[in-house]
Amino acid sequence: MNPVQVPETYDVVCIGGGPAGLSLLAALRASKETSGLKVALVESQDLSKSRSWKLPSDKYSNRVSSLTPSSVEFLEGIGVWDHVDRNRVQPYAEMQVWDGVTGARISFDWPGSAGEAAYSSQPKTIAYMTENLNLTSSLLARIDDLGGLDVFDNSKVEDISFGPETESVDLGGWPVVHLADGKQLAARLLVGADGAHSPVRRFAGIESRGWDYERHGVVATVKLEGNGWGGDDGKTAYQRFLPTGPVALLPLPNNHSTLVWSTLPSHAAHLKTLSPEDLVATLNAAFRLSTVDLTYLHTQPNGQAEELVWREKHTHFDAQLIPQRIEEVQEGTLASFPLRMRHADRYIGERIALVGDAAHTIHPLAGQGLNQGQADVQALAETIVNAVQTGQDIGTQLALEPYNAARYSANNMLLGVVDKLHKLYSVESGPLVPLRSWGLRAVDSLGPVKGFLMERAAASGGR
């Protein structure tokens, strides 16, 4: 009879080396209360590539995220922000949002007039745009500085099971992670930061519910004709709601921006077939032409550049209220992915916690996905610290319940609001169209209401 293999035991094992998982481990190692915990990271990819990540100063990755001031404050508190390459981070203080059907508009900015004093004293930055790899490499640098972490990268999870019960050790209620190389890691607390198809969530028997939007998110890095109407110190983000989905242009340093266009899968596929000239024309048209004209452009195999020149002559728009013209799409950055909404029934189980995409997946129109994950991590880290301080077993549901209570309802509310916005602006005709336009104009004219919305936007994902 073969002896039972006894796994290596850890206080915390985190599966997933993305921003959520790495932020949690950095937070645990940075806190004096939890720095003595034995922790491990399991990641299927080779993390050395993220550690050595480097692009020329005039090239940007197409995987870019918005970090709110609250998320940045958290990263500063755990010592990560000092490692971020600030030359590749772009804050912005204004956002122009408008209805692609009616033209109704709201300007999110921080005015300084006396009449708007209720919110003009608030922080001037709405969000910071940064490449995901810039954040990931910074998290790894901070974790390397802190030390005390066992990293199993390039490691595939073969199975997760409950541990053995032997005369020497009873791990019957502990999750054990089985790696492809034969290693076994037993976790007092197993954290799933392992994405939308989370094996940890599946092991815990936690259902994830939601739906597909039948839309694809198209992303690309683009070069503009200038550094923005406000220059380097006055960057603006733009978002136009079209019936097929919102199109957004978010600022990066100098004259670069990142494009995020939620649209029909057929439109996304069509964009990938266009010549560079026609692709640039179609992207510019998305912020300028009517929805009827845009629909026509999507039916044409080519010739969008010529069509845009002609149709712009017959279309009224204020150039100062829309982004500067796109001149070029960076080679190799045009990509697309399906959009969906998912929400786990709960974020915790006995010796289980879920964070980030393992717990929830949101439509990108609000740019809150990464911030939701950071808020999850902050709340979970605080919950673990409290459990350690009060002498609790950090893996029990009782000890983890404050995390679930803090994050579930907040995320559920944000998911619901974003889902309703998507559905509201998918309507092209009927009584909803003038009503939503009236609402947008009303909020734009009410300083305190707009200020409240901006404060919420500047807070971390649903906090």
Side-chain angles (χ1 to χ4, degrees):
M1 184 175 178
N2 293 327
V4 175
Q5 180 178 346
V6 178
E8 182 80 10
T9 59
Y10 289 87
D11 292 303
V12 180
V13 174
C14 178
I15 300 182
L22 293 176
S23 294
L24 175 66
L25 296 173
L28 293 178
R29 296 298 304 146
S31 168
K32 67 179 185 296
E33 290 85 1
T34 55
S35 61
L37 296 178
K38 186 178 179 181
V39 294
L41 168 67
V42 178
E43 166 56 39
S44 62
Q45 303 297 315
D46 181 359
L47 291 177
S48 66
K49 296 178 180 178
S50 296
R51 283 188 175 91
S52 60
W53 169 78
K54 197 76 175 175
L55 281 178
S57 60
D58 62 343
K59 302 294 181 184
Y60 289 86
S61 165
N62 61 2
R63 297 190 64 190
V64 178
S65 293
S66 163
L67 280 171
T68 63
S70 293
S71 292
V72 170
E73 183 180 0
F74 169 60
L75 293 169
E76 287 176 335
I78 61 176
V80 172
W81 198 244
D82 288 340
H83 293 273
V84 172
D85 185 350
R86 308 294 180 80
N87 292 324
R88 302 186 72 86
V89 176
Q90 181 59 61
Y92 64 88
E94 182 177 348
M95 189 167 188
Q96 293 286 335
V97 180
W98 69 104
D99 189 321
V101 175
T102 68
R105 175 181 296 270
I106 184 169
S107 300
F108 290 108
D109 54 11
W110 300 102
S113 63
E116 310 290 352
Y119 67 103
S120 63
S121 62
Q122 298 301 313
K124 302 303 181 188
T125 298
I126 294 176
Y128 300 80
M129 300 304 302
T130 185
E131 296 150 292
N132 290 3
L133 282 168
N134 191 8
L135 178 58
T136 300
S137 64
S138 304
L139 285 161
L140 287 168
R142 175 57 174 159
I143 287 171
D144 289 344
D145 280 353
L146 291 164
L149 173 70
D150 289 344
V151 177
F152 301 91
D153 61 345
N154 264 329
S155 296
K156 181 182 178 183
V157 175
E158 289 284 345
D159 189 24
I160 305 173
S161 66
F162 287 112
E165 297 181 39
T166 68
E167 292 182 0
S168 60
V169 62
D170 181 5
L171 298 176
W174 285 37
V176 174
V177 180
H178 301 257
L179 303 182
D181 63 2
K183 290 188 178 71
Q184 296 183 15
L185 317 177
R188 183 182 300 276
L189 172 61
L190 177 61
V191 178
D194 47 351
H197 303 290
S198 169
V200 174
R201 188 183 66 232
R202 187 166 58 250
F203 164 74
I206 300 174
E207 290 289 334
S208 181
R209 307 174 196 275
W211 44 83
D212 295 346
Y213 284 113
E214 298 181 356
R215 297 289 190 276
H216 278 199
V218 177
V219 294
T221 302
V222 300
K223 183 178 178 181
L224 307 183
E225 62 184 359
N227 288 17
W229 300 116
D232 288 329
D233 297 326
K235 295 283 190 172
T236 299
Y238 299 89
Q239 187 169 50
R240 185 188 189 194
F241 280 91
L242 301 168
T244 51
V247 57
L249 202 62
L250 306 165
L252 292 171
N254 303 316
N255 61 338
H256 293 86
S257 287
T258 186
L259 174 99
V260 184
W261 189 351
S262 305
T263 189
L264 299 174
S266 59
H267 289 177
H270 178 248
L271 290 172
K272 295 177 183 178
T273 68
L274 298 178
S275 68
E277 183 183 22
D278 285 339
L279 174 61
V280 166
T282 304
L283 299 184
N284 281 318
F287 293 95
R288 291 164 173 79
L289 298 188
S290 70
T291 56
V292 173
D293 285 343
L294 269 177
T295 299
Y296 174 76
L297 292 186
H298 282 304
T299 67
Q300 301 304 298
N302 52 55
Q304 282 77 6
E306 293 82 358
E307 287 287 345
L308 177 63
V309 171
W310 183 82
R311 290 172 187 272
E312 273 194 325
K313 296 175 182 177
H314 306 281
T315 305
H316 173 73
F317 55 83
D318 186 341
Q320 296 289 321
L321 294 178
I322 61 176
Q324 292 182 330
R325 289 186 184 277
I326 296 169
E327 288 188 335
E328 177 187 328
V329 175
Q330 183 180 307
E331 186 177 356
T333 63
L334 183 66
S336 65
F337 52 91
L339 302 181
R340 53 180 61 96
M341 192 276 279
R342 296 285 190 274
H343 200 194
D345 286 350
R346 62 187 189 279
Y347 295 172
I348 62 171
E350 192 68 16
R351 307 205 176 281
I352 297 291
L354 306 175
V355 295
D357 286 351
H360 42 74
T361 307
I362 193 170
H363 193 291
L365 71 85
Q368 288 298 315
L370 182 61
N371 294 301
Q372 280 185 294
Q374 291 298 297
D376 292 348
V377 164
Q378 185 173 1
L380 180 57
E382 290 169 355
T383 297
I384 295 172
V385 166
N386 180 67
V388 170
Q389 289 175 329
T390 55
Q392 299 180 70
D393 182 339
I394 64 172
T396 64
Q397 279 194 251
L398 180 63
L400 294 170
E401 183 54 42
Y403 165 61
N404 192 72
R407 293 304 301 151
Y408 193 91
S409 60
N411 283 331
N412 196 55
M413 182 179 70
L414 184 57
L415 285 164
V417 168
V418 170
D419 182 63
K420 299 302 183 294
L421 278 173
H422 165 74
K423 291 172 180 174
L424 176 64
Y425 281 94
S426 295
V427 178
E428 194 165 5
S429 60
L432 267 181
V433 174
L435 281 173
R436 75 189 183 202
S437 296
W438 176 85
L440 204 62
R441 293 187 177 105
V443 171
D444 193 44
S445 66
L446 296 172
V449 175
K450 186 164 66 170
F452 171 77
L453 293 175
M454 291 184 68
E455 290 168 18
R456 294 299 297 168
S460 184
R463 286 184 72 84

